[in-house]
Amino acid sequence: TGFGKVTPTTVAAAADGSFPVGPAALRLGSAIAPRAVTGAGVLDEAAQARRVLVAGYDWNRSGASADVIPFLVGVNAEGQPAVWIDLDGSGTIDDRRREELTDFAATGRTVDATAGRGAARAPLAVTVTDGAVQFHTLAQSSSHGSSCATIVAGDGFAGGKLSGMAPKAKLLSYLLDPSGQDVYTMAELMQMFLDARDRGVDAISISYGFARGSLSSARFLADFLDEELASRGVVLGFAVGNSGPGLFSAAPEDYVPHHGFSVGAHVTPILARNVYGWAGAFEENVVNFSSVGPTDGGRAAPDLVSPFMNLARGRTGSRVSPFGGTSSATPAFVGSVAALVSALKASEPAPLSARLLKVALQQTARPVPSVAGLVQGSGLVNVAAAYDAYKRLAEEERAAARDATGRTPA
């Protein structure tokens, strides 16, 4: 959930030791003693110089649902990249470091905006990549997004008893609208995907549906994702939706790229009986509300199915709750594909082919007995078999290229 990169620029201190922040000045407490202090703008450079937008935080008590807060970027006394943010509006950064942030990926450091003038929806954090700082709000642990993240890369949650599909995966999370209203433009949506691509992601899990104005607008997004992400080897998984059963219940899904995946929800009888109390479940199935194509554009959906009803929701300790829908099946699929990609990258030339990955995963998926093909697509994902299939397909393509040119392709 990034608010945008900050490219630091040097800011000179005034004679009294304060630093200019927009129309005001921000003073560092004497105990911080940074090696260097810089500042930069996140929003409009002219109007909001060196301030960050924080959702759910009313810094100036104006009654707004979001506000801008002064901050400085620099290097702290331990030599770590740091951000100092004036949460309480005192004009001085707290000496006890309640207002200092260091790279969350390295230190796990957050600050609680409720210590300032207003109530924030979530803690603040920063990450530092290639010298650029990015602000974040951390999702609440019981939220839809956190449950999806846990399914992908949870590592020893529920008192150490459970793990996600790829517990060592590194996650990126995006919040397109910091106000929490889920209002954003097509340009912002596309920029999110491009940012993820540029940061080197291998797979993207999308557990919600996009509003679309027309079939042509959906196809525009699909073509964009194919050209800009799938062509670079990024695997894209989309929840097929929870509007089933029945034909055409996945009608809007034309925004799924041709080399991406629409994912339905597979359920085992053990999960059905023990998690949700569906006493009559005696065989594996595709859950009845998992959407089914064809889409408005004539495409089949889903492409395949993945496990549904994962135990993910929970706050602390050993407490968990069921988290269902195709929203849970999609991160289970993407997490398993992340493990597959990790294994393939150790032996196959980069970038991997999203086209071959899709062929391999669909060729090796296991059909679910007694379930119609249109309802389950190619069947239940089988990662181990897909690994072997990809290597075979990739070698066949390399051999064909050698035969055609007489040379081994780079």
Side-chain angles (χ1 to χ4, degrees), residues 330-357:
T330 304
F333 165 73
V334 170
S336 65
V337 170
L340 169 63
V341 168
S342 178
L344 287 171
K345 286 170 69 175
S347 59
E348 291 292 321
L352 298 179
S353 167
R355 175 180 58 82
L356 290 185
L357 278 169

Side-chain angles (χ1 to χ4, degrees), residues 364-397:
T364 57
R366 177 178 65 78
V368 181
S370 303
V371 175
L374 190 61
V375 174
Q376 64 173 304
S378 299
L380 183 64
V381 62
N382 184 338
V383 171
Y387 174 85
D388 293 332
Y390 182 96
K391 293 184 71 67
R392 173 178 53 79
L393 290 166
E395 180 52 39
E396 288 175 357
E397 283 208 344

Side-chain angles (χ1 to χ4, degrees), residues 13 23 107 123 170 174 198 217 222 242 251 355:
T107 67
K170 178 181 178 181
Y174 292 86
D198 294 344
S217 67
N242 303 319
R355 175 180 58 82

Side-chain angles (χ1 to χ4, degrees), residues 268-317:
T268 66
I270 291 176
L271 281 173
R273 292 196 301 268
N274 294 321
V275 177
Y276 273 90
W278 296 346
F282 296 105
E283 60 183 15
E284 62 176 322
N285 212 327
V286 174
V287 69
N288 67 334
F289 54 74
S290 185
S291 296
V292 178
T295 67
D296 286 339
R299 294 176 59 184
D303 291 304
L304 40 69
V305 293
S306 179
F308 155 76
M309 293 196 315
N310 298 274
L311 294 174
R313 286 188 184 272
R315 293 185 178 274
T316 58

Side-chain angles (χ1 to χ4, degrees), residues 115-133:
R117 296 183 179 180
R121 294 175 181 163
L124 290 174
V126 296
T127 54
V128 183
T129 305
D130 298 328
V133 175

Side-chain angles (χ1 to χ4, degrees), residues 91-364:
T92 299
I93 297 298
D94 192 295
D95 279 346
R96 289 168 293 177
R97 295 194 167 178
R98 291 182 300 185
E99 298 179 311
E100 179 181 295
L101 287 167
T102 48
D103 184 19
F104 180 80
T107 67
R109 174 84 174 143
T110 65
V111 296
D112 183 3
T114 57
R117 296 183 179 180
R121 294 175 181 163
L124 290 174
V126 296
T127 54
V128 183
T129 305
D130 298 328
V133 175
Q134 189 167 14
F135 284 89
H136 304 264
T137 54
L138 301 183
Q140 296 296 331
S141 60
S142 61
S143 72
H144 179 277
S146 291
S147 295
C148 291
T150 302
I151 293 168
V152 172
D155 190 3
F157 66 104
K161 298 177 182 178
L162 299 176
S163 294
M165 303 299 290
K168 299 305 180 184
K170 178 181 178 181
L171 294 179
L172 295 178
S173 176
Y174 292 86
L175 180 66
L176 289 174
D177 181 7
S179 72
Q181 301 302 308
D182 288 334
V183 177
Y184 49 86
T185 66
M186 178 69 84
E188 290 168 330
L189 178 66
M190 294 165 71
Q191 185 59 47
M192 175 195 72
F193 285 113
L194 292 176
D195 184 83
R197 178 202 67 187
D198 294 344
R199 290 174 182 268
V201 302
D202 295 306
I204 300 178
S205 179
I206 301 128
S207 287
Y208 64 93
F210 299 104
R212 56 162 208 179
S214 63
L215 176 58
S216 61
S217 67
R219 284 175 167 169
F220 171 81
L221 181 59
D223 291 343
F224 165 80
L225 293 172
D226 268 326
E227 180 67 26
E228 297 294 338
L229 282 90
S231 67
R232 314 287 182 90
V234 180
V235 178
L236 297 140
F238 291 77
V240 75
N242 303 319
S243 301
L247 296 177
F248 301 103
S249 53
E253 300 293 306
D254 287 289
Y255 50 71
V256 178
H258 290 283
H259 297 313
F261 297 85
S262 58
V263 183
H266 170 270
V267 60
T268 66
I270 291 176
L271 281 173
R273 292 196 301 268
N274 294 321
V275 177
Y276 273 90
W278 296 346
F282 296 105
E283 60 183 15
E284 62 176 322
N285 212 327
V286 174
V287 69
N288 67 334
F289 54 74
S290 185
S291 296
V292 178
T295 67
D296 286 339
R299 294 176 59 184
D303 291 304
L304 40 69
V305 293
S306 179
F308 155 76
M309 293 196 315
N310 298 274
L311 294 174
R313 286 188 184 272
R315 293 185 178 274
T316 58
S318 60
R319 297 194 55 166
V320 292
S321 302
F323 172 58
T326 56
S327 284
S328 69
T330 304
F333 165 73
V334 170
S336 65
V337 170
L340 169 63
V341 168
S342 178
L344 287 171
K345 286 170 69 175
S347 59
E348 291 292 321
L352 298 179
S353 167
R355 175 180 58 82
L356 290 185
L357 278 169
K358 184 163 186 175
V359 173
L361 283 160
Q362 289 192 294
Q363 279 188 351
T364 57

Side-chain angles (χ1 to χ4, degrees), residues 19-52:
F19 294 83
V21 181
L26 187 60
R27 183 188 304 276
L28 290 175
S30 58
I32 291 181
R35 297 182 185 177
V37 177
T38 60
V42 175
L43 306 176
D44 182 343
E45 288 280 353
Q48 307 288 358
R50 293 173 297 282
R51 290 167 180 256
V52 62

